[in-house]
Amino acid sequence: GKISTAINYRCSMKSLQSFYPKLSFIDITPDVLKKYEKHMLSNEKSISTIGIYLRPLRAIINEAINKRYITTNDYPFGLKKYVIPESRNVKKALTKEEFKKIMLYYPEEPLGFEARAKDFWILSYLCQGMNPKDLLLLKKGHIEGDFIKFIRQKTKETARNVTEITVPLLPEAKHIINKWKSKTNGPFLFNIITENMSEMQIYKTVQQFVKNTNKHMNMIAEKVGVQKKITTYVARYQFTKSLIDGGVSVEYIRQCLGHQSSTTTIRYIGSFEDLTRHEIAKKHLLNFN
C-alpha cells in the first residue's frame, strides 16, 4: 500500500538502468556511483533528485547484505566511499504583506474550486502545516472537542514509534471544516476520499487535489500581486515561519510538525530564504532602542 515508495523505487531503478543497463551488485562501487552523479548533473538533474534515486539503492544493498548476497566489504556508501548528497531547499515562505494579501482575497464563488483551494490551503496553515494527504484522510473521530488528534501518514509508514499530533482548532479552522465537511454517514471528515477507494485511488486523488490546489493558489497569487509560487507545501513553511517569528521553541515546533527528532526540525527551519536572515539581522543588530 505504499504507493509513493513504490513509484520512487521504480523511478530509481529506471534511472540507474539507463545509466548502467546490466547493473549488478558487484558493479556498484563508489567510483560507479560518483560517475552516476556526474551523469545526472550533466543531464541537468538536481542534487535533490540524485539523493531521491540513490536512497532506494542503498536500502536494497542493505537488504542484500542482510541476506548475505554480498558482504559488508562491498558496501559502497559512507565516509571515504560514496556519500549520498543532500540538498537544502530554500523554503519559500511568504512575507507578512504577501500572506495578508492572500488571506484578504475572497473568491467570487464561495463553493467553487478557487474557494476550496484557498480554504484548504488556509486550513493546512492553521492546522500546524498539515499536509494534503493527512487533511483528506482525517476522520470525524479525529476531532475531539477543540482539538484534532491524528498520526501523520508519512510517520505511520516509515517509523516504528509513532507520535500522535495534537492540533488546537481555532474558530477560523472550525469555520472552514464546517463549510466543507462531508454530509454523509461515512467516516471521513471531507467527502474527497471515500471508504471503497484502493490505495492507488487514494494516491491519485491526493495528487489531483494537490495539483488543483496549487493551480488555483497561483491564480490567486497572480490576482493579488504576489510573485512567488504558492504550493500546498508553502502553507507548512508559512506555519513554521509564523512560529519562528513569534519566538516559539524548536521543541514545540518539532512536536507541531510531527518530526521524529529536533535535528530534522533544525535543518528544516534553518533553510528559509536569505531575506529572513536580513530581517533578523536588521531587527537585532541595529536596534538601539
Side-chain angles (χ1 to χ4, degrees), residues 6-32:
I7 291 173
N8 185 15
Y9 271 65
R10 287 180 181 179
C11 290
S12 174
M13 183 172 66
K14 184 178 179 180
S15 174
L16 288 162
Q17 287 180 332
S18 69
F19 167 70
Y20 203 128
K22 296 184 179 180
L23 190 66
S24 65
F25 285 122
I26 198 66
D27 299 317
I28 304 170
T29 64
D31 285 340
V32 166

Side-chain angles (χ1 to χ4, degrees), residues 144-166:
E144 299 181 17
D146 291 331
F147 296 90
I148 292 177
K149 296 184 178 181
F150 76 105
I151 295 173
R152 291 183 71 196
Q153 292 296 315
K154 183 177 180 180
T155 304
K156 192 184 295 183
E157 291 179 357
T158 59
R160 295 289 295 174
N161 298 317
V162 296
T163 303
E164 186 177 65
I165 298 175
T166 299

